[in-house]
Amino acid sequence: MTFTRRNFLRAAAGGTAAAAACATLASSPAEARDNKKLPDNAIGLLYDSTLCIGCKACMSGCKDANDLPLEDNIGEKLWDTPLELSGKTYTVIKIYQHGTMENKDKAENGFAHIKRQCLHCVDPSCVSACPVSAMTKHEKTGVVEYNKDACIGCRYCVAACPFGVPQFQYDTPTPQIAKCQLCKHRLAEGKIPACAQQCPTGATIFGTYPQLSAEIERRKAMKAGEPNLFPRRTTDSGDNHERAAAEYVDHVYGQKDAGGTQVRYLSGVPFDKLALPVGLPERSYAADSETLQHTLYGGLILPGVALAGLVAAAWRGSKDHHDDDENHGGHSHG
Ligand code: SF4
Ligand code: SF4
Ligand code: SF4
């Protein structure tokens, strides 16, 4: 494919800008940038949907630790009821449900929980899209952080994230971007993230990336139905929750999706039935967009067009995600 400005604009309008750019750049590999790599001291979370009981202690812990207000979205004025991530909510537990909902962690006549939050991408689109470096990735831990004082409110990060995570606080006089920063203030005090601290079953655990990788492999090797021990809070806490192992789908979400993430997921239900976009490329959107920007600068084409490609790609992922929601009718909120 010959890469002209005209066919690029057409591709951008159709949401295939990134693919068009990649096809072109494949013929000039010297210009392409690779996915960024995990930092040496990368940390993260593992969320295992099969262990989650939907208690929402993680959500309460998050609100408390981050001084976030409650939301009443069902008008009962009884408890905090966020329906999705929002300017007031950094993490939310959602439910997949199908048919009679008799079988936990099964797609057919079953149900499953899923935790939504920032995935702390290895090569984050939000960092790449931010024109003033208000979104940054910590060079040692890989935590994707936000600096409200640098933010100009352009919301490029909101548009660029393939997981629909950053939320703009429309209903405050001084709006900021809201998203999980892996409880960086607690990490600085030698504590672990509040969601992992509060989780009673080991569904959400904190660790170094290699520790979590080992735990993922350990869980995947378990025989479904046999009793096993699952550590609470951290992989080496020594405080275990005992229960039968579940049958996992053959996909560790975040291992490679969109270039990989430092928050990874295990599930018994295919991820296309949970509130996560599937079919994302292993090449990060940031690698594509920055390669494209480099090329376009060279050709004196407006870099804003490159952002259009990044946004189109993210929007397409988000649309697939919402289409999945509708097709499966599977996501309600407990
Ligand atoms: S999930 Fe979205 S907000 Fe979080 S690091 Fe990745 S691109 Fe940024
Ligand atoms: S790491 Fe902290 S901010 Fe992020 S979801 Fe967990 S409790 Fe909330
Ligand atoms: S605290 Fe743990 S078990 Fe409870 S909803 Fe959150 S992840 Fe699930």
Side-chain angles (χ1 to χ4, degrees):
M1 176 181 180
T2 303
F3 191 59
T4 64
R5 181 175 179 170
R6 188 172 182 182
N7 70 21
F8 173 76
L9 289 171
R10 189 185 300 129
T16 56
C22 286
T24 302
L25 294 165
S27 63
S28 56
E31 308 235 8
R33 98 145 163 80
D34 291 332
N35 285 0
K36 289 192 174 159
K37 304 276 184 258
L38 271 175
D40 288 345
N41 300 323
I43 55 177
L45 297 173
L46 168 62
Y47 171 77
D48 184 337
S49 172
T50 71
L51 291 176
C52 182
I53 56 173
C55 67
K56 304 182 190 171
C58 52
M59 291 172 57
S60 304
C62 181
K63 291 239 160 163
D64 184 42
N66 292 286
D67 205 17
L68 293 167
L70 304 186
E71 291 183 68
D72 178 14
N73 285 309
I74 57 175
E76 293 189 353
K77 296 188 170 55
L78 283 175
W79 47 67
D80 188 34
T81 53
L83 301 179
E84 244 305 353
L85 299 178
S86 75
K88 298 172 181 169
T89 296
Y90 294 170
T91 190
V92 64
I93 295 290
K94 299 179 73 176
I95 302 173
Y96 162 77
Q97 48 188 291
H98 177 265
T100 61
M101 292 178 64
E102 289 170 85
N103 308 307
K104 185 172 185 324
D105 304 311
K106 298 290 180 201
E108 194 68 21
N109 287 325
F111 70 97
H113 303 287
I114 188 73
K115 185 178 192 284
R116 294 264 291 134
Q117 65 168 97
C118 174
L119 283 78
H120 297 274
C121 299
V122 175
D123 191 359
S125 299
C126 59
V127 172
S128 177
C130 181
V132 293
S133 297
M135 287 284 181
T136 52
K137 186 166 177 69
H138 194 283
E139 63 178 14
K140 293 199 172 108
T141 63
V143 173
V144 177
E145 302 179 348
Y146 169 68
N147 178 355
K148 66 179 171 48
D149 297 325
C151 180
I152 55 173
C154 66
R155 286 163 276 160
Y156 282 6
C157 58
V158 175
C161 173
F163 303 103
V165 168
Q167 302 290 313
F168 189 67
Q169 296 172 327
Y170 287 98
D171 55 352
T172 66
T174 52
Q176 300 171 11
I177 296 295
K179 82 161 198 77
C180 157
Q181 299 184 69
L182 213 68
C183 285
K184 65 178 183 182
H185 59 299
R186 288 176 57 88
L187 295 174
E189 295 169 354
K191 299 175 183 167
I192 68 169
C195 53
Q197 179 68 41
Q198 298 300 337
C199 181
T201 65
T204 297
I205 56 171
F206 170 79
T208 66
Y209 191 91
Q211 284 173 333
L212 295 174
S213 296
E215 180 63 10
I216 287 168
E217 291 309 313
R218 190 182 78 88
R219 292 187 188 188
K220 280 169 60 184
M222 292 174 179
K223 198 163 177 193
E226 291 192 348
N228 268 288
L229 298 177
F230 296 90
R232 295 183 177 92
R233 298 186 295 280
T234 62
T235 54
D236 54 3
S237 66
D239 174 16
N240 294 312
H241 173 62
E242 184 174 354
R243 54 151 283 168
E247 188 170 356
Y248 295 110
V249 295
D250 188 21
H251 181 181
V252 178
Y253 196 91
Q255 194 65 43
K256 294 180 177 169
D257 310 74
T261 61
Q262 291 177 224
V263 174
R264 287 174 286 172
Y265 293 80
L266 290 171
S267 170
V269 169
F271 289 102
D272 62 353
K273 301 193 182 307
L274 301 178
L276 289 167
V278 296
L280 301 181
E282 292 184 16
R283 183 164 162 78
S284 73
Y285 292 118
D288 273 347
S289 68
E290 286 177 23
T291 301
L292 182 55
Q293 278 195 350
H294 177 82
T295 304
L296 294 180
Y297 271 122
L300 297 179
I301 298 174
L302 286 176
V305 177
L307 178 68
L310 184 64
V311 170
W315 181 84
R316 194 154 39 108
S318 167
K319 179 175 179 299
D320 289 347
H321 155 208
H322 289 301
D323 285 351
D324 283 347
D325 280 2
E326 286 160 18
N327 291 341
H328 296 293
H331 303 301
S332 64
H333 312 268

